Amino acid sequence: MSDIMRPIPFSQLMNWIIEEHKTQDAIFGVRKMVTTNQEGALPIFDERIETPFGPAAGPNTQLAQNIVASYVAGSRFFELKTVQVMDGEELSKCVNKPCIVAQDECYNCEWSTELEVPQAFAEYVKAWFACHLIAREYGLGSPDGFVFNMSVGYDLEGIKSPKVDAYIEGMKDASGSDVWNECRAWALANLDKFEHVDAAFVESIPARVSNSITESTLHGCPPAEIERIATYLITEKGLNTYIKCNPTLLGYEFARQRLNELGFDYIVFDDTHFREDLQWADAVPMFERLIALCAERGLEFGVKLTNTFPVDVTRNELPSTEMYMSGRSLFSLTIEAARRITEQFDGKLRISYSGGATVYNIRALYDAGIWPVTLATDVLKPGGYERFSQMAGEFADLDGKPFAGVSLEAVTAIQADSLTNPLYKKPLRPLPDRKVAGKSPLSDCFTTPCRTSCPIQQDIPAYLAAVDEGRYEDALNIIIERNALPFITGTICPHPCGRACERAFYEPEGAQIRASKLKAAREAMTTVLPKLRAQAIANDAERNVAVIGGGPAGLATAFFLTRAGVPVTIFEARDSLGGVVRHVIPEFRIASDDISHDAELCLAFGAKVQLNARVESIDELKAQGFTDVVVATGAWMPGSAGLGEGAELDVLEFLEAAKKGEKLELGEDVVVIGAGNTAMDAARVAKRLAGVKNVRLVYRRTKKQMPADEEELDLALADGVEFCELLAPKALNGAVLTCDVMELGEPDASGRRSPVATGETVELSATTVICAVGEGIDASLYDAAGVEHDRRGRLAATSTGVEGVWAAGDCRRGPATVVEAIADAAEVARAIAGVDFNKYADCNEQAGREDTCYERKGSLCRDKRNCTKTRCLGCGSVCEVCCDVCPNRANVAIKVPGLAKHQVVHVDGMCNECGNCAVFCPYQEGRPYKDKLTLFWSEQDMENSENEGFLAVDEDHFKVRVAGTVRTVSVDAVNTGLPEAVRLTIKAVRDSYPYLLKK
Ligand code: SF4
Ligand code: SF4
Ligand code: SF4
């Protein structure tokens, strides 16, 4: 394997397109083919574009197939990958691989084409010819409805070099070039392959591939050189010219502050490029001169906003020292540059836009007069080129009007929105690791990160499919197989599944997992519950279990064990079931009725309950004949903020009293110490009490380190709670709380920065101080029974080491989540009764949902508020993310007779090891470009690679390397010695996907 790409001859390119279209209803993996509106095509230069967007100069315009895939998905403006005098192997040596990481904001360390300049020219001409043929043949749009825009760099000398000059001249008139002749000859010789293409059409394809150019310069390029290049391109080459501007035009101070405000403060850069790059004061008069120059010649001049943003590599993002940032973190910088340009030039200077464009903002940009828009980051994410298909839907109503200026008012509004819209802000909390352990298997690799991240591995894809199909009873039955508390978890679970969900690469929230669970519970509870009651099993098991505590852990334990036929009695000290959720969590976060529904469910199989029954010792229960005792008493001991002076109110006592409706007199100024979810609850409850004016959350670290869920903090802030970070309370005197002012020190061994006192103090008004730190475990039951625990009362496992004694939930872990309590309950049920929770495990990989999965890929939710679907992508049925995100189409999903799921074949000759597929593969060590069965096009490529893979020797024989052994086999033979999945996959390539094989 190597990063050398092997351009596909035009005959193979067209054969691939035609065969894939005929047999798979797709072209280079793009299923959502777009037919554009020809009448509304927009004039630009002296050409027309049917949609005002397309791929930016970069990975998505490097090879002919990339451009074709973009065209098929609705792109009509193509900024071709930059060409410069340094090319091919010489350039490849300077580009470290992998070179793209697009997980959130995107970084890359690549620049111009990695092909040799004549090869790049050939790719663009092949793409030009192919797009014309398929536009006509498949009726995708008018053959003159798209534009190719050159991009050249980086200095005048290089641009004038014979190599680059031949490229520019060739693009202005490709006729007579070898590649043009190759394309034309193939088309004329293969007219029988087309229904709508004839010789006259082929001869009508214009040899002028491009009449426009974007000038790209390196950082530090002097303004005079930039102007010289543009002048040359305009006057000598007669090209419509755009100058690509760097975001450094905004100045260091502005860029630093803006990125800090939006949460991108961890991105490191200094002012070097800002000092060395084109300055605003030089840019404005230069643009004025170039506008005039173009006007004299009837050409169009514009600016391209913006180039990527150079930043330092500080966290091993890429194997480089500097990298180029793009995507959502760039948006607010680029739109500000657009606003300033619009203001300066009174809206008359045309802006070609690139910098964080997505389906969410592209129409607004267009409506503001900013077009064409080119994209790279967005289409490097899951969904890939099909994200263009959705964007095309935004432009079905184009009216063919030419550029009429940019609206300052509209650009200003977009810029203002970028400061508050979560799309452009980094969440406070780091993104979760969406990966499952291991590397992607050679065959059958599809997996579901949502399930892996769930503490009880719920059958999420299975129940989401049922919800989407309106089968709520099925959905609830699937849910309660592993989750005894669907109402509670459907409401307040911190839902790590949602953050780990593959869909969260599309939009911040991921699939609607938690909400769908609640919906299923609400819709089907009345149907499911009576049927469970009817199944109640006679309690004649040998085990007889006592559960101490009727909170989430106790209820779930009772549910799982009684369902398995084990008798259970719950002893609850209070007068109702539900524990902390019932007695402490405010009603505005979870309704009491919902808690009662879960309690009912947990008692459906006949668990007995003794309320107001405080258990003093485990032995007492053993003496009553219980074989097993499960301690599930929660963590109710008051914590302490350690104030030297003054009294604190315990948070649980406070919340419980408030929930009971007791009259509480807190005074005007309430301070809550702590930053967990309980602290957020306390602050929000306090804010609602009569007489309270100000509520402050005081925390000794920063918001970034707070343990609360970000959405809980947001709700508290929305309620008017003030968050005071880096303050450590030390004494309460009267109504004054004195706090040490802290700062974050150096990171410790775990990388966490501890707060360090600065020596300064501040005083806060505090009529009441509520302590919400470190609620503790009452370990007296453990101590009396000889159960060992740590100094905070916690146990390493649910099995306590004392026979017949178990522990589950907060009293084992310390304050934790409801779903973790259920996980403990499940573990206890497995240990006591061998309960198996896998009844629906296979349903996560249901066949037959392919269409839904493909339908949802590439589509971002445009109206979350009214969305009634789960938005699950069914990753267990169809992953294929590595296929979606590969700009070069080098990973191909194929159907293999004899295997249930699609298999992914990696095509070595199309891969340049950019690494993008590894970023999004759900396996921790997954590198699809190295892990997947690889199709080689030559002996030499196979020898240069260590990948497991195959090479066609003749019609029937393949040279195959698997597990380090190379053998030449007939894939029709039974005893090839190959794993059967490998044999079948190669056979399927030969029989059904022969266009993948190089002829
Ligand atoms: S899209 Fe569906 S299957 Fe994929 S991770 Fe999200 S919830 Fe799970
Ligand atoms: S297969 Fe992976 S590494 Fe290769 S070009 Fe595609 S995305 Fe990049
Ligand atoms: S990204 Fe590709 S290799 Fe990884 S699990 Fe999905 S289909 Fe398999």
Side-chain angles (χ1 to χ4, degrees):
M1 195 191 83
S2 78
D3 63 350
I4 297 169
M5 295 166 285
R6 308 284 181 206
I8 306 175
F10 191 66
S11 56
Q12 190 191 355
L13 186 83
M14 287 310 303
N15 189 37
W16 184 319
I17 292 169
I18 292 167
E19 287 304 310
E20 189 183 355
H21 184 265
K22 189 161 50 179
T23 59
Q24 313 299 324
D25 206 14
I27 293 176
F28 289 115
V30 176
R31 291 176 195 80
K32 293 179 186 160
M33 289 183 255
V34 170
T35 299
T36 42
N37 167 17
Q38 300 184 25
E39 282 72 48
L42 306 165
I44 183 167
F45 316 133
D46 55 356
E47 303 175 273
R48 302 185 319 137
I49 49 177
E50 291 162 345
T51 61
F53 65 84
N60 301 100
T61 50
Q62 183 150 246
L63 296 172
Q65 64 266 29
N66 309 12
I67 297 168
V68 169
S70 300
Y71 177 82
V72 167
S75 296
R76 296 295 183 262
F77 186 88
F78 301 82
E79 193 190 53
L80 304 169
K81 190 154 189 184
T82 306
V83 163
Q84 61 145 330
V85 68
M86 186 167 61
D87 62 354
E89 209 174 321
E90 191 190 357
L91 181 103
S92 273
K93 282 187 192 145
C94 305
V95 179
N96 296 334
K97 300 291 176 66
C99 58
I100 301 175
V101 50
Q103 195 169 15
D104 189 0
E105 74 270 16
C106 179
Y107 302 102
N108 75 74
C109 59
E110 51 130 49
W111 13 321
S112 50
T113 181
E114 290 162 44
L115 299 171
E116 289 175 358
V117 171
Q119 288 178 315
F121 170 68
E123 288 304 289
Y124 304 153
V125 172
K126 284 186 284 177
W128 178 253
F129 226 101
C131 289
H132 277 83
L133 294 176
I134 61 180
R136 167 59 60 93
E137 179 64 8
Y138 304 130
L140 299 181
S142 169
D144 68 354
F146 59 95
V147 160
F148 277 18
N149 175 246
M150 288 181 270
S151 170
V152 291
Y154 293 105
D155 60 8
L156 187 55
E157 195 186 337
I159 290 170
K160 281 181 162 179
S161 68
K163 187 163 50 177
V164 179
D165 191 59
Y167 166 75
I168 294 173
E169 290 302 324
M171 293 293 281
K172 285 165 65 182
D173 180 3
S175 62
S177 65
D178 290 347
V179 65
W180 182 266
N181 293 337
E182 177 197 341
C183 298
R184 180 177 165 274
W186 181 90
L188 292 174
N190 288 276
L191 292 172
D192 58 338
K193 290 190 163 61
F194 298 95
E195 260 184 60
H196 306 292
V197 171
D198 56 19
F201 178 78
V202 173
E203 298 293 10
S204 75
I205 296 174
R208 188 186 69 176
V209 178
S210 179
N211 68 351
S212 63
I213 201 154
T214 300
E215 173 192 341
S216 186
T217 51
L218 293 174
H219 290 286
C221 185
E225 174 76 351
I226 296 174
E227 188 165 1
R228 267 196 298 274
I229 297 171
T231 304
Y232 169 77
L233 295 172
I234 295 163
T235 57
E236 303 289 319
K237 296 288 143 185
L239 293 166
N240 298 287
T241 300
Y242 289 169
I243 292 183
K244 193 187 280 187
C245 299
N246 292 322
T248 44
L249 205 55
L250 295 167
Y252 173 78
E253 301 297 335
F254 177 87
R256 181 71 274 170
Q257 191 185 335
R258 177 55 49 85
L259 288 177
N260 289 354
E261 282 164 7
L262 297 177
F264 298 101
D265 50 351
Y266 56 88
I267 295 175
V268 177
F269 55 91
D270 64 19
D271 64 353
T272 309
H273 292 309
F274 292 85
R275 284 187 280 105
E276 293 175 352
D277 285 3
L278 180 66
Q279 305 290 310
W280 182 258
D282 295 322
V284 170
M286 180 205 301
F287 295 159
E288 279 166 353
R289 288 190 293 273
L290 292 169
I291 291 168
L293 190 64
C294 273
E296 282 168 19
R297 284 164 172 74
L299 294 171
E300 192 173 289
F301 177 77
V303 285
K304 167 83 189 282
L305 299 178
T306 60
N307 204 348
T308 47
F309 186 92
V311 302
D312 296 347
V313 173
T314 54
R315 293 170 296 160
N316 292 323
E317 294 95 337
L318 287 169
S320 183
T321 51
E322 190 175 66
M323 57 187 181
Y324 305 104
M325 180 193 87
S326 59
R328 67 190 189 126
S329 49
L330 189 57
F331 185 80
S332 72
L333 298 182
T334 304
I335 197 68
E336 170 61 13
R339 193 196 64 73
R340 290 187 192 180
I341 290 278
T342 303
E343 192 170 39
Q344 178 72 40
F345 290 90
D346 203 17
K348 295 192 173 66
L349 179 53
R350 183 154 203 171
I351 298 168
S352 163
Y353 189 92
S354 192
T358 67
V359 74
Y360 294 122
N361 53 35
I362 196 165
R363 181 70 203 213
L365 289 168
Y366 170 79
D367 287 341
I370 296 178
W371 59 278
V373 178
T374 55
L375 304 92
T377 299
D378 198 55
V379 288
L380 288 168
K381 292 175 182 285
Y385 289 99
E386 290 193 350
R387 289 183 176 228
F388 282 137
S389 309
Q390 187 180 21
M391 286 172 213
E394 301 285 309
F395 296 101
D397 63 343
L398 292 182
D399 57 7
K401 289 196 179 139
F403 170 72
V406 183
S407 157
L408 179 60
E409 190 186 350
V411 182
T412 305
I414 301 172
Q415 188 271 342
D417 175 65
S418 78
L419 304 182
T420 53
N421 192 326
L423 286 173
Y424 313 114
K425 290 177 106 170
K426 190 78 176 179
L428 280 174
R429 311 298 294 276
L431 288 175
D433 190 356
R434 298 196 171 103
K435 305 274 186 179
V436 305
K439 67 179 216 174
S440 36
L442 193 60
S443 310
D444 288 333
C445 53
F446 303 166
T447 187
T448 48
C450 52
R451 295 193 67 215
T452 321
S453 67
C454 172
I456 50 176
Q457 290 81 47
Q458 287 178 87
D459 302 301
I460 294 167
Y463 77 71
L464 293 186
V467 168
D468 273 334
E469 290 159 21
R471 295 184 288 110
Y472 297 111
E473 186 176 345
D474 289 348
L476 187 55
N477 278 321
I478 296 167
I479 292 165
I480 63 174
E481 175 64 14
R482 293 179 194 267
N483 181 350
L485 304 167
F487 284 90
I488 295 173
T489 51
T491 309
I492 58 164
C493 184
H495 57 136
C497 52
R499 282 162 57 77
C501 169
E502 188 68 29
R503 180 89 204 188
F505 283 123
Y506 290 68
E507 48 225 347
E509 279 178 43
Q512 294 299 289
I513 303 173
R514 186 175 74 180
S516 301
K517 184 187 295 142
L518 186 61
K519 186 172 184 184
R522 293 229 159 103
E523 293 284 342
M525 183 66 166
T526 51
T527 325
V528 168
L529 190 61
K531 292 182 186 168
L532 297 183
R533 286 194 175 121
Q535 293 166 34
I537 299 158
N539 289 337
D540 56 0
E542 288 172 7
R543 308 286 275 258
N544 185 14
V545 177
V547 173
I548 311 175
L555 285 169
T557 306
F559 179 71
F560 294 143
L561 283 173
T562 51
R563 186 171 66 186
V566 177
V568 173
T569 305
I570 298 172
F571 295 87
E572 168 54 49
R574 285 179 165 74
D575 60 0
S576 55
L577 296 171
V580 162
V581 185
R582 166 81 69 191
H583 300 288
V584 170
I585 297 184
E587 186 80 18
F588 59 75
R589 277 192 63 207
I590 180 159
S592 294
D593 283 353
D594 284 339
I595 304 167
S596 298
H597 291 321
D598 276 347
E600 253 188 292
L601 179 74
C602 288
L603 303 182
F605 291 105
K608 295 183 195 136
V609 178
Q610 291 191 25
L611 296 174
N612 302 306
R614 179 170 295 281
V615 174
E616 301 298 342
S617 89
I618 291 168
D619 286 348
E620 169 196 312
L621 295 173
K622 288 269 183 89
Q624 289 174 30
F626 290 104
T627 57
D628 297 86
V629 177
V630 183
V631 182
T633 47
W636 290 81
M637 296 269 283
S640 169
L643 293 184
E645 297 169 46
E648 317 156 7
L649 179 58
D650 173 55
V651 71
L652 298 185
E653 277 176 37
F654 163 67
L655 285 169
E656 193 167 4
K659 196 162 186 182
K660 279 184 194 153
E662 289 176 12
K663 190 163 169 47
L664 294 163
E665 308 246 346
L666 305 184
E668 289 191 355
D669 296 302
V670 176
V671 170
V672 179
I673 303 172
N677 284 345
T678 314
M680 302 300 146
D681 285 347
R684 295 180 68 197
V685 168
K687 191 74 191 162
R688 286 164 167 76
L689 292 179
V692 174
K693 283 197 177 152
N694 305 306
V695 178
R696 297 186 178 91
L697 280 157
V698 167
Y699 183 45
R700 63 199 185 109
R701 299 174 191 266
T702 66
K703 280 189 198 122
K704 261 196 177 148
Q705 287 104 16
M706 68 175 184
D709 300 328
E710 196 166 342
E711 59 184 296
E712 298 302 332
L713 173 67
D714 288 344
L715 289 167
L717 296 177
D719 283 354
V721 172
E722 192 184 333
F723 192 93
C724 306
E725 55 189 11
L726 292 170
L727 292 184
K730 64 182 209 182
L732 177 67
N733 290 303
V736 176
L737 179 69
T738 307
C739 302
D740 283 326
V741 176
M742 314 298 279
E743 62 184 7
L744 291 180
E746 291 302 310
D748 61 18
S750 69
R752 198 169 187 224
R753 296 175 67 192
S754 297
V756 181
T758 60
E760 285 176 40
T761 58
V762 294
E763 292 184 341
L764 301 176
S765 295
T767 45
T768 301
V769 172
I770 299 171
C771 173
V773 291
E775 299 86 57
I777 298 165
D778 178 353
S780 56
L781 283 174
Y782 295 149
D783 292 336
V787 171
E788 290 184 11
H789 54 80
D790 72 8
R791 66 184 174 80
R792 289 160 72 179
R794 296 174 305 188
L795 278 67
T798 53
S799 166
T800 65
V802 174
E803 191 164 349
V805 181
W806 313 85
D810 289 3
C811 66
R812 174 178 96 70
R813 298 170 183 257
T817 62
V818 170
V819 72
E820 286 169 316
I822 301 171
D824 278 2
E827 199 173 302
V828 170
R830 265 188 218 103
I832 291 179
V835 176
D836 172 48
F837 295 93
N838 290 316
K839 186 170 170 186
Y840 298 102
D842 290 344
C843 301
N844 296 302
E845 301 175 2
Q846 294 159 338
R849 294 192 54 225
E850 234 172 77
D851 287 354
T852 316
C853 300
Y854 287 141
E855 170 57 31
R856 292 182 180 181
K857 275 171 170 275
S859 296
L860 281 70
C861 185
R862 300 290 281 117
D863 182 11
K864 280 206 187 79
R865 196 180 294 262
N866 297 311
C867 179
T868 55
K869 292 293 180 190
T870 68
R871 307 206 304 271
C872 174
L873 297 164
C875 309
S877 311
V878 177
C879 174
E880 301 176 16
V881 167
C882 54
C883 309
D884 302 345
V885 302
C886 175
N888 297 345
R889 319 319 284 149
N891 297 319
V892 182
I894 66 167
K895 292 178 194 143
V896 178
L899 299 180
K901 290 186 183 177
H902 296 180
Q903 303 298 319
V904 172
V905 172
H906 174 65
V907 185
D908 172 80
M910 292 158 71
C911 173
N912 68 337
E913 296 189 11
C914 75
N916 198 39
C917 54
V919 170
F920 294 104
C921 176
Y923 290 95
Q924 192 75 49
E925 296 151 37
R927 288 178 302 168
Y929 65 109
K930 294 189 188 236
D931 301 340
K932 302 310 297 179
L933 191 67
T934 299
L935 163 60
F936 296 101
W937 284 339
S938 76
E939 191 90 36
Q940 188 196 1
D941 285 347
M942 189 164 183
E943 275 169 19
N944 287 341
S945 168
E946 292 177 357
N947 285 14
E948 299 182 301
F950 60 103
L951 168 74
V953 176
D954 58 34
E955 283 289 307
D956 295 322
H957 291 85
F958 290 84
K959 188 172 175 181
V960 186
R961 178 169 57 222
V962 175
T965 302
V966 179
R967 40 171 89 77
T968 298
V969 299
S970 161
V971 286
D972 295 318
V974 184
N975 297 316
T976 57
L978 297 175
E980 188 59 357
V982 171
R983 184 184 77 84
L984 291 174
T985 302
I986 300 172
K987 191 167 180 304
V989 169
R990 183 200 62 183
D991 296 343
S992 307
Y993 303 86
Y995 52 85
L996 300 181
L997 301 167
K998 201 163 190 174
K999 296 286 187 299

